[in-house]
Amino acid sequence: MTIIKGGLILSFICLIHRGTAQTTLGHLFSEEVSNISFPKNFKWGYASAAYQVEGAWNLDGKGPSVWDYDARNNPDWFINGQNGDVGPDGYHNVDVDIELLLRQKVNTYRLSIAWTRILPNGLLSGGINQKGIDFYKNIITKLRANNIEPVVTMMHWDQPRALEDNGGFLNESIIPAFLDYATLLWETYGDDVQWWTTFNEPKQICGGGYDWGWSSPQNLLPGIGSYICGHNLLRAHAKAYKIYNERFRETQKGKISVNLDLTWQEPATNSPEDEEAAERGRLFWLGWFAHPMVFGDYPEIMKQRIGDRSRRLNLTTSRLPEFTEEEKEELKDSIDFFAIQMYTTNLVTAQEDAPVNETSFDNDLSINSYQPDDWPTTLSSWFRVVPWGARRLLNWIRDTYGDEKGIFITENGYPDDQTILEDMDTRGRCHKLYLSNINDAIYKDKINVIGYLAWSLIDDVEWYGGWVVTFGQYNVDFTSENKTRTPKQSTEYYRKVVTTGCLVDDCVEPL
Ligand code: NOJ
């Protein structure tokens, strides 16, 4: 079937699917690509994280993070022994990687700081590692000198192992430790960095680390650990935000947020039960963190369900901790932009409530969230390419939290076998179709989306997955001494998009 859109003739592919359109939404998959230019001041770039790109896990005074600890103590958690000890060795390739950013002509680069490179045992009282301070100073200075705006994440999953001996995020003593660290970062880099995020994907830090697994330290207390961790993390964020307001905002004029992620939860049918289940999924997965930082407290549905399920177990208090009135005040309005990472979409159907005596986050939520077999797969089992989910997600964020402060897409990407360099029809196409939906969100739905950061510039360490499946637009030869970087096809396309603001050959300006 051929359709005409905005002067372009493009083929329209409806994916063949087994179920009915109503239950698999196959009709929403489209190859249509917008020909309207993105806004001129749009932020285009890449995102990365310290553990995934740096290597140098114990060089120049760096202390161990939870991941470094597990690479030694639980090596079988890492596929083929592939861990972040060396990885793509970004530590020794700063200039090489900045050259790649320049080649790509991006205006923004998101990096994270390894807490233990700055404070080796996590605590200010343990001493500051000057070589770590210098390492990031050099990167930030070079980015600025090349007109690339740094977006800095303070902690991307790699909390200090030393703090884990006290329970890590399960112990509120991590809050003052984080505040010292955040303050030091603002004192040191705050004049050069305008865009900050305190934490990356708290759901993964807390759920993966302390509840259901798949992220270090895997100190698991199902149905309890994620809520305690989330509570401490949110309080740490809000108190850091307050410190910034009181001490740094006036002179540094930066913006602060938290990178949140959501697999879009789409009701499988339009039945009220499925609609309610999908909304509950969004509120548990994203609202858990977004609600407190926008409205000052957890979503009602979380308080109600977890409270009720705790009472039915004869617990005296809810497994979901409560904020004090003062904490609610601190949390409310504690982000300056909405940072969202989007990858894929699930369908949701309602299900019977799970028994209360098996405590887990999933049971508290009790929905059936899945991907139909006929949706396009990738090498990652959790990721199917669902471009239309991006637009739905942006609409929901705007409708639920507002978009006045701007919605910043701080990650999106495509996983594949890293040796495949001809990736235009896979990775390139995926960025194109997601970006087209984002473009529709901007122009058709009038949503204030301010930027897009591709994950990732180079192949890196996908946590326990090593580099068996990677997201990079540049291949890294992990066997070579220099960890040689080689462009994949998608670099050409992304560079063109970044330089022209246009997803197709010719664009029209927005009206
Ligand atoms: C989100 C995480 O922030 C990042 O560390 C990870 O590599 C990507 N998703 C891809 O899985």
Side-chain angles (χ1 to χ4, degrees):
M1 172 177 180
T2 302
I3 53 154
I4 298 178
K5 186 193 179 200
L8 273 178
I9 301 178
L10 295 155
S11 36
F12 178 70
I13 299 170
C14 268
L15 294 172
I16 300 161
H17 53 89
R18 280 210 308 265
T20 66
Q22 196 185 17
T23 52
T24 70
L25 300 170
H27 62 290
L28 292 174
F29 289 88
S30 157
E31 296 285 318
E32 260 186 83
V33 178
S34 166
N35 70 342
I36 307 179
S37 297
F38 275 82
K40 292 280 174 271
N41 57 356
F42 202 68
K43 295 182 194 311
W44 291 108
Y46 290 97
S48 68
Y51 183 74
Q52 297 180 269
V53 296
E54 284 177 10
W57 77 276
N58 62 350
L59 291 190
D60 293 341
K62 179 176 173 292
S65 71
V66 288
W67 291 87
D68 299 322
Y69 177 89
D70 285 331
R72 260 135 288 284
N73 292 282
N74 295 298
D76 50 325
W77 291 357
F78 295 78
I79 198 161
N80 303 340
Q82 296 175 351
N83 60 40
D85 285 6
V86 179
D89 202 13
Y91 191 73
H92 296 110
N93 282 289
V94 170
D95 292 338
V96 173
D97 290 338
I98 289 183
E99 266 310 309
L100 299 185
L101 293 173
L102 289 172
R103 183 171 184 271
Q104 291 304 117
K105 305 215 181 307
V106 293
N107 57 27
T108 308
Y109 183 59
R110 176 173 161 233
L111 65 143
S112 83
I113 291 183
W115 185 339
T116 55
R117 215 180 270 295
I118 303 282
L119 299 174
N121 76 353
L123 299 172
L124 190 60
S125 57
I128 299 171
N129 179 33
Q130 190 57 41
K131 286 197 170 153
I133 296 271
D134 297 345
F135 172 69
Y136 296 107
K137 190 83 186 169
N138 176 43
I139 299 180
I140 290 166
T141 307
K142 285 185 171 149
L143 289 173
R144 290 223 79 91
N146 286 293
N147 292 320
I148 300 171
E149 178 91 50
V151 175
V152 177
T153 299
M154 294 180 171
M155 202 201 94
H156 193 122
W157 303 6
D158 53 353
Q159 63 264 35
R161 175 62 214 185
L163 303 183
E164 262 348 282
D165 297 335
N166 278 332
F169 277 96
L170 298 182
N171 185 335
E172 64 181 8
S173 68
I174 201 160
I175 299 174
F178 180 77
L179 297 179
D180 285 343
Y181 168 57
T183 304
L184 177 63
L185 295 189
W186 285 321
E187 284 169 349
T188 313
Y189 309 117
D191 289 337
D192 295 321
V193 178
Q194 237 76 81
W195 295 82
W196 293 94
T197 56
T198 50
F199 297 103
N200 177 72
E201 297 192 354
K203 179 176 77 196
Q204 310 299 347
I205 297 172
C206 293
Y210 301 97
D211 203 306
W212 54 79
W214 292 106
S215 191
S216 287
Q218 300 209 64
N219 176 13
L220 308 182
L221 290 169
I224 299 168
S226 52
Y227 302 133
I228 298 175
C229 165
H231 204 68
N232 289 328
L233 185 149
L234 280 162
R235 293 195 290 166
H237 166 79
K239 289 184 191 308
Y241 188 82
K242 187 165 177 235
I243 291 175
Y244 191 79
N245 284 346
E246 290 171 356
R247 292 191 42 197
F248 301 104
R249 188 178 291 283
E250 199 177 310
T251 50
Q252 299 184 356
K253 302 184 170 46
K255 290 181 191 293
I256 301 169
S257 193
V258 172
N259 305 91
L260 299 180
D261 62 300
L262 180 67
T263 291
W264 173 244
Q265 306 288 307
E266 176 76 19
T269 71
N270 57 9
S271 77
E273 293 78 18
D274 289 354
E275 301 255 3
E276 192 278 328
E279 180 68 1
R280 197 191 318 160
R282 296 164 203 147
L283 291 172
F284 266 70
W285 292 121
L286 186 89
W288 175 14
F289 294 97
H291 261 55
M293 296 190 298
V294 175
F295 305 124
D297 203 358
Y298 295 117
E300 280 307 315
I301 188 80
M302 285 188 82
K303 294 198 291 184
Q304 179 247 306
R305 285 186 65 86
I306 302 165
D308 180 55
R309 293 171 62 84
S310 302
R311 267 188 300 281
R312 284 161 58 202
L313 265 185
N314 291 329
L315 303 180
T316 42
T317 54
S318 172
R319 285 178 283 109
L320 182 69
E322 281 180 23
F323 295 115
T324 63
E325 289 309 312
E326 189 187 344
E327 286 167 349
K328 287 182 191 168
E329 270 312 300
E330 274 176 10
L331 271 161
K332 192 169 176 234
D333 251 331
S334 65
I335 48 174
D336 300 317
F337 61 100
F338 202 102
I340 185 73
Q341 343 234 77
M342 52 169 63
Y343 285 90
T344 191
T345 288
N346 284 355
L347 289 187
V348 180
T349 56
Q351 65 165 39
E352 289 270 298
D353 257 7
V356 290
N357 54 354
E358 286 164 31
T359 60
S360 76
F361 182 95
D362 271 355
N363 284 352
D364 288 338
L365 173 56
S366 283
I367 61 171
N368 176 31
S369 183
Y370 65 100
Q371 295 185 316
D373 291 344
D374 55 354
W375 284 8
T377 53
T378 64
L379 263 197
S380 285
S381 55
W382 57 273
F383 187 158
R384 291 176 187 244
V385 179
V386 193
W388 53 264
R391 185 171 172 192
R392 302 248 169 146
L393 171 56
L394 289 168
N395 270 274
W396 185 79
I397 291 174
R398 188 260 313 271
D399 296 346
T400 312
Y401 302 110
D403 65 345
E404 301 76 17
K405 296 176 173 180
I407 302 174
F408 195 167
I409 297 160
T410 45
E411 281 186 30
N412 177 48
Y414 181 92
D416 207 354
D417 175 336
Q418 64 127 188
T419 58
I420 297 173
L421 301 184
E422 301 204 341
D423 65 345
M424 186 51 218
D425 293 340
T426 49
R427 179 171 293 108
R429 172 179 168 277
C430 179
H431 282 291
K432 183 197 274 188
L433 295 178
Y434 274 66
L435 277 165
S436 185
N437 276 276
I438 293 163
N439 188 286
D440 283 347
I442 294 173
Y443 294 118
K444 293 186 180 162
D445 309 331
K446 308 276 179 249
I447 300 176
N448 183 18
V449 183
I450 60 175
Y452 178 89
L453 306 182
W455 185 274
S456 51
L457 177 71
I458 54 172
D459 287 336
D460 60 23
V461 184
E462 182 61 11
W463 307 103
Y464 300 137
W467 41 92
V468 171
V469 177
T470 63
F471 291 71
Q473 290 185 8
Y474 283 82
N475 162 280
V476 172
D477 179 355
F478 288 92
T479 59
S480 67
E481 201 184 329
N482 295 335
K483 312 295 172 205
T484 317
R485 280 79 160 130
T486 307
K488 302 179 189 176
Q489 260 178 359
S490 60
T491 57
E492 299 298 320
Y493 178 68
Y494 194 57
R495 181 164 61 247
K496 187 193 145 294
V497 171
V498 164
T499 45
T500 60
C502 178
L503 301 174
V504 291
D505 286 341
D506 283 308
C507 265
V508 295
E509 291 302 313
L511 290 177

